[in-house]
Amino acid sequence: QKARIAEGQDLNRGRRALAILSLAELLGMSVWFAASPVMDQLRATWGLSVVQSGWFTTAVQLGFVAGTLVVALLNLADVIPSKWLFAGSALSAGLANASLLLAGGFMAAVAARFATGFFLAGVYPPGMKMAATWFRSGRGLAIGTLVGALTIGKATPYLIGALGGASVRAVVLTTTAAACVAAALVGLCYRDGPHAFERRPFSWSLAGQVLKTRRWRLATGGYLGHMWELYAFWAWVATYLTASAATRTSGGLPVPGFGALEAMAFGAIAVGGLGCVWGGRSADRTSYESLTVRALSASGVCCLLTPALFGASFWLVFPLVLVWGFFVVADSAQFSALVTEVVSPHAVGTALTLQTSAGFLLTMVTIQLVPEIAGGTGWRWAFPILALGPAFGIGSIRRLQRL
């Protein structure tokens, strides 16, 4: 009876810790796309091309990759207590985000975005490790909930932008304040759970040990296929919707009213939060591998349907991007959950950081590739190339299943 009581108390504390972490991730990651909903204003201010505007997102990805490489090579996620790494990084990311308001031109603005991504490297991977310390059974759902929260956080700037055409200053300051609150939440209210991972002294060889683990490589192969698609969808779905509406307008067909397209873009990204929770539940009931294959298959089909529905009624287009947004991120947390179980406990933080570093490095290719394709063929044909990612990811996870 005492054991059952203790188990119930741990479960309640775990749920409380997960709620704190989820809220902190939602608030902290809101700075990621802070420039996206006000991109038209920035483009008009500095006379930017569509390709140049893509660098506002690509710079965050590049900064995140640089940050994760530093964290991985120095073993920071396995040496520094996770709560302090998270809190310090969230605060720094907020300040870097605010520096966008001081930028006098394109290059300074891109540098501010790079710095924001660099510090977010100490928010995302440590958050997943922290959640895993509270859950052994149900770990897929726990990490899925966390990733779902940060997905909604990344969509938040679009919601702010949809509320009456918010200014650059309003969006940047709101998301900066959110990141600072995230730092305070974790720093003051969080502690690790009963399944904390072993900590060891710094080792230059730790990253190499992780890279030699075949199961980690296969799990990361699935993750790379997922990331090939994910951020390009998030970065350009609003532009796809706008281009689709413009096609209808030129043909004299009805289009949604003011603010509706921004709200649709918010919905297409934010619905991924529900997808992550569904993915976590499904993975715990079946397996991480089977869930990722299902989600990759569904999102890949959505990629291929975008040309057929481009310029069609928004009663068709919006459901397509909603379904895509649900499945495109539903498997994201499960690649991370897989990693927590296929590497040595003392290397979990480094393994997660290396995985996310490789994935975000790849996203820069498709974030820049999609508008290049759109420039040559129009937005109707911009997205099908993303289906290559799910196809590759499914192949990698199938090999992991056989192993």
Side-chain angles (χ1 to χ4, degrees), residues 74-75 78-80 129 197-203 206 209 344-347:
L74 299 181
N75 307 167
D78 292 307
V79 174
I80 299 176
K129 180 185 176 184
F197 296 99
E198 178 185 357
R199 289 173 59 192
R200 290 188 183 179
F202 168 76
S203 170
L206 188 58
Q209 293 171 19
S344 301
H346 70 277

mmCIF file of all heavy atoms in Angstrom, residues 74-75 78-80 129 197-203 206 209 344-347:
data_model
loop_
_atom_site.group_PDB
_atom_site.id
_atom_site.type_symbol
_atom_site.label_atom_id
_atom_site.label_comp_id
_atom_site.label_asym_id
_atom_site.label_seq_id
_atom_site.Cartn_x
_atom_site.Cartn_y
_atom_site.Cartn_z
ATOM 1 N N LEU A 74 30.567 20.113 -26.002
ATOM 2 C CA LEU A 74 30.977 20.415 -24.635
ATOM 3 C C LEU A 74 30.183 19.619 -23.600
ATOM 4 O O LEU A 74 30.358 19.840 -22.394
ATOM 5 C CB LEU A 74 30.833 21.916 -24.370
ATOM 6 C CG LEU A 74 31.685 22.846 -25.250
ATOM 7 C CD1 LEU A 74 31.472 24.301 -24.866
ATOM 8 C CD2 LEU A 74 33.165 22.474 -25.160
ATOM 9 N N ASN A 75 29.305 18.716 -24.081
ATOM 10 C CA ASN A 75 28.501 17.863 -23.178
ATOM 11 C C ASN A 75 27.651 18.689 -22.211
ATOM 12 O O ASN A 75 27.306 18.225 -21.120
ATOM 13 C CB ASN A 75 29.382 16.927 -22.345
ATOM 14 C CG ASN A 75 30.357 16.088 -23.127
ATOM 15 O OD1 ASN A 75 31.249 15.487 -22.552
ATOM 16 N ND2 ASN A 75 30.220 16.025 -24.442
ATOM 17 N N ASP A 78 24.636 17.215 -20.496
ATOM 18 C CA ASP A 78 24.879 16.115 -19.559
ATOM 19 C C ASP A 78 25.765 16.539 -18.396
ATOM 20 O O ASP A 78 26.011 15.747 -17.489
ATOM 21 C CB ASP A 78 25.523 14.928 -20.295
ATOM 22 C CG ASP A 78 24.566 14.276 -21.276
ATOM 23 O OD1 ASP A 78 23.458 13.918 -20.859
ATOM 24 O OD2 ASP A 78 24.921 14.158 -22.468
ATOM 25 N N VAL A 79 26.287 17.760 -18.411
ATOM 26 C CA VAL A 79 27.179 18.244 -17.359
ATOM 27 C C VAL A 79 26.499 19.303 -16.500
ATOM 28 O O VAL A 79 26.522 19.249 -15.270
ATOM 29 C CB VAL A 79 28.492 18.796 -17.973
ATOM 30 C CG1 VAL A 79 29.359 19.427 -16.893
ATOM 31 C CG2 VAL A 79 29.252 17.681 -18.687
ATOM 32 N N ILE A 80 25.849 20.288 -17.152
ATOM 33 C CA ILE A 80 25.146 21.351 -16.428
ATOM 34 C C ILE A 80 23.753 20.856 -16.053
ATOM 35 O O ILE A 80 23.082 20.225 -16.874
ATOM 36 C CB ILE A 80 25.036 22.610 -17.304
ATOM 37 C CG1 ILE A 80 26.427 23.139 -17.659
ATOM 38 C CG2 ILE A 80 24.219 23.692 -16.617
ATOM 39 C CD1 ILE A 80 26.401 24.319 -18.603
ATOM 40 N N LYS A 129 14.800 16.024 -22.254
ATOM 41 C CA LYS A 129 15.508 15.219 -21.261
ATOM 42 C C LYS A 129 14.878 15.385 -19.882
ATOM 43 O O LYS A 129 14.711 14.424 -19.141
ATOM 44 C CB LYS A 129 16.981 15.628 -21.219
ATOM 45 C CG LYS A 129 17.803 14.838 -20.210
ATOM 46 C CD LYS A 129 19.229 15.348 -20.120
ATOM 47 C CE LYS A 129 20.004 14.603 -19.031
ATOM 48 N NZ LYS A 129 21.370 15.136 -18.860
ATOM 49 N N PHE A 197 18.847 11.066 -15.282
ATOM 50 C CA PHE A 197 19.906 10.356 -15.986
ATOM 51 C C PHE A 197 21.248 10.578 -15.288
ATOM 52 O O PHE A 197 21.498 11.621 -14.686
ATOM 53 C CB PHE A 197 19.989 10.827 -17.443
ATOM 54 C CG PHE A 197 18.757 10.501 -18.236
ATOM 55 C CD1 PHE A 197 17.775 11.461 -18.457
ATOM 56 C CD2 PHE A 197 18.557 9.227 -18.734
ATOM 57 C CE1 PHE A 197 16.634 11.164 -19.179
ATOM 58 C CE2 PHE A 197 17.413 8.914 -19.457
ATOM 59 C CZ PHE A 197 16.450 9.880 -19.671
ATOM 60 N N GLU A 198 22.095 9.566 -15.410
ATOM 61 C CA GLU A 198 23.424 9.616 -14.804
ATOM 62 C C GLU A 198 24.241 10.768 -15.384
ATOM 63 O O GLU A 198 24.203 11.037 -16.585
ATOM 64 C CB GLU A 198 24.134 8.285 -15.087
ATOM 65 C CG GLU A 198 25.552 8.194 -14.557
ATOM 66 C CD GLU A 198 26.235 6.906 -14.979
ATOM 67 O OE1 GLU A 198 25.579 6.066 -15.627
ATOM 68 O OE2 GLU A 198 27.427 6.746 -14.674
ATOM 69 N N ARG A 199 24.968 11.461 -14.523
ATOM 70 C CA ARG A 199 25.854 12.534 -14.962
ATOM 71 C C ARG A 199 27.299 12.088 -14.811
ATOM 72 O O ARG A 199 27.670 11.441 -13.825
ATOM 73 C CB ARG A 199 25.611 13.799 -14.140
ATOM 74 C CG ARG A 199 24.286 14.484 -14.441
ATOM 75 C CD ARG A 199 24.040 15.632 -13.484
ATOM 76 N NE ARG A 199 25.097 16.624 -13.567
ATOM 77 C CZ ARG A 199 25.252 17.597 -12.683
ATOM 78 N NH1 ARG A 199 24.446 17.702 -11.653
ATOM 79 N NH2 ARG A 199 26.237 18.464 -12.820
ATOM 80 N N ARG A 200 28.109 12.408 -15.802
ATOM 81 C CA ARG A 200 29.533 12.090 -15.766
ATOM 82 C C ARG A 200 30.349 13.326 -16.118
ATOM 83 O O ARG A 200 29.812 14.281 -16.687
ATOM 84 C CB ARG A 200 29.856 10.966 -16.764
ATOM 85 C CG ARG A 200 29.314 9.596 -16.358
ATOM 86 C CD ARG A 200 29.844 8.531 -17.292
ATOM 87 N NE ARG A 200 29.295 7.221 -16.982
ATOM 88 C CZ ARG A 200 29.586 6.116 -17.670
ATOM 89 N NH1 ARG A 200 30.428 6.174 -18.692
ATOM 90 N NH2 ARG A 200 29.043 4.965 -17.343
ATOM 91 N N PRO A 201 31.638 13.312 -15.809
ATOM 92 C CA PRO A 201 32.473 14.460 -16.175
ATOM 93 C C PRO A 201 32.547 14.639 -17.688
ATOM 94 O O PRO A 201 32.261 13.718 -18.463
ATOM 95 C CB PRO A 201 33.853 14.094 -15.587
ATOM 96 C CG PRO A 201 33.575 13.066 -14.551
ATOM 97 C CD PRO A 201 32.379 12.302 -15.039
ATOM 98 N N PHE A 202 32.951 15.818 -18.104
ATOM 99 C CA PHE A 202 33.089 16.127 -19.525
ATOM 100 C C PHE A 202 34.006 15.123 -20.219
ATOM 101 O O PHE A 202 35.037 14.716 -19.688
ATOM 102 C CB PHE A 202 33.648 17.539 -19.685
ATOM 103 C CG PHE A 202 34.098 17.843 -21.083
ATOM 104 C CD1 PHE A 202 33.180 18.103 -22.082
ATOM 105 C CD2 PHE A 202 35.448 17.841 -21.406
ATOM 106 C CE1 PHE A 202 33.597 18.376 -23.374
ATOM 107 C CE2 PHE A 202 35.868 18.118 -22.692
ATOM 108 C CZ PHE A 202 34.935 18.387 -23.674
ATOM 109 N N SER A 203 33.626 14.735 -21.445
ATOM 110 C CA SER A 203 34.454 13.832 -22.247
ATOM 111 C C SER A 203 34.360 14.246 -23.717
ATOM 112 O O SER A 203 33.253 14.352 -24.261
ATOM 113 C CB SER A 203 33.988 12.379 -22.088
ATOM 114 O OG SER A 203 34.635 11.545 -23.033
ATOM 115 N N LEU A 206 32.435 11.607 -26.009
ATOM 116 C CA LEU A 206 31.035 11.223 -25.816
ATOM 117 C C LEU A 206 30.229 11.347 -27.111
ATOM 118 O O LEU A 206 29.457 10.444 -27.466
ATOM 119 C CB LEU A 206 30.406 12.078 -24.710
ATOM 120 C CG LEU A 206 29.003 11.655 -24.264
ATOM 121 C CD1 LEU A 206 29.005 10.219 -23.761
ATOM 122 C CD2 LEU A 206 28.490 12.595 -23.174
ATOM 123 N N GLN A 209 30.980 8.469 -29.375
ATOM 124 C CA GLN A 209 30.336 7.226 -28.926
ATOM 125 C C GLN A 209 28.888 7.170 -29.397
ATOM 126 O O GLN A 209 28.396 6.123 -29.829
ATOM 127 C CB GLN A 209 30.398 7.133 -27.408
ATOM 128 C CG GLN A 209 31.805 6.956 -26.841
ATOM 129 C CD GLN A 209 31.831 7.084 -25.333
ATOM 130 O OE1 GLN A 209 30.804 6.956 -24.672
ATOM 131 N NE2 GLN A 209 33.016 7.363 -24.784
ATOM 132 N N SER A 344 23.340 5.020 -24.073
ATOM 133 C CA SER A 344 23.650 4.904 -22.655
ATOM 134 C C SER A 344 23.030 6.069 -21.883
ATOM 135 O O SER A 344 22.998 7.197 -22.394
ATOM 136 C CB SER A 344 25.168 4.906 -22.440
ATOM 137 O OG SER A 344 25.762 3.820 -23.140
ATOM 138 N N PRO A 345 22.544 5.817 -20.654
ATOM 139 C CA PRO A 345 21.874 6.877 -19.887
ATOM 140 C C PRO A 345 22.700 8.141 -19.717
ATOM 141 O O PRO A 345 22.171 9.256 -19.758
ATOM 142 C CB PRO A 345 21.586 6.202 -18.545
ATOM 143 C CG PRO A 345 21.487 4.750 -18.869
ATOM 144 C CD PRO A 345 22.486 4.519 -19.958
ATOM 145 N N HIS A 346 24.031 7.992 -19.545
ATOM 146 C CA HIS A 346 24.858 9.174 -19.307
ATOM 147 C C HIS A 346 25.053 10.021 -20.558
ATOM 148 O O HIS A 346 25.586 11.133 -20.482
ATOM 149 C CB HIS A 346 26.227 8.760 -18.756
ATOM 150 C CG HIS A 346 27.093 8.064 -19.765
ATOM 151 N ND1 HIS A 346 26.976 6.720 -20.034
ATOM 152 C CD2 HIS A 346 28.083 8.532 -20.580
ATOM 153 C CE1 HIS A 346 27.863 6.387 -20.962
ATOM 154 N NE2 HIS A 346 28.543 7.457 -21.310
ATOM 155 N N ALA A 347 24.599 9.493 -21.742
ATOM 156 C CA ALA A 347 24.799 10.206 -23.011
ATOM 157 C C ALA A 347 23.498 10.718 -23.608
ATOM 158 O O ALA A 347 23.493 11.221 -24.726
ATOM 159 C CB ALA A 347 25.492 9.285 -24.019
#
